[in-house]
Amino acid sequence: MRLKGRTIVVAGIANKRSICWQVAQDIVMEGGEVISLCHPRMEASVTKLTAECNMRPPIVCDALADDDISIASAIGKIANSGTTVHGFVH
């Protein structure tokens, strides 16, 4: 349980074959908490995956958008939750 009490943001989960999905599962197995960010097209599949592992629902964020509103909104949601973030994986 080396990550107990730690919260890691994981971006890039698309499906069960994603490297980021394996990383997220490993974080949980080591006692950490995962906040996932996903593209709007991946919301349904990532929501299903995170629910299977008792993770928080993903925060939808389009990093490819021409403006930074989506990214700023995602960061704002994390900041407003009062959660301390200990790491970021993409």
Side-chain angles (χ1 to χ4, degrees), residues 9-60:
V9 176
V10 179
I13 299 171
N15 55 47
K16 286 186 177 189
R17 295 182 301 274
S18 298
I19 292 171
C20 284
W21 175 240
Q22 184 61 54
V23 170
Q25 289 179 303
D26 290 346
I27 290 167
V28 171
M29 286 181 7
E30 289 295 328
E33 183 176 2
V34 171
I35 297 174
S36 58
L37 302 179
C38 74
H39 188 275
R41 288 186 313 220
M42 301 295 143
E43 182 178 11
S45 63
V46 176
T47 298
K48 182 178 176 186
L49 290 173
T50 56
E52 290 174 5
C53 292
N54 296 319
M55 294 180 197
R56 295 182 188 190
I59 297 173
V60 179

Side-chain angles (χ1 to χ4, degrees), residues 2 4 9 26 28 32 35 40 46 49 58 60-62 64-66 69 77 83-84 88 90:
R2 298 181 306 193
K4 185 173 182 155
V9 176
D26 290 346
V28 171
I35 297 174
V46 176
L49 290 173
V60 179
C61 172
D62 186 357
L64 300 176
D66 289 339
I69 294 171
K77 286 178 184 177
T83 301
T84 300
F88 182 88
H90 182 271

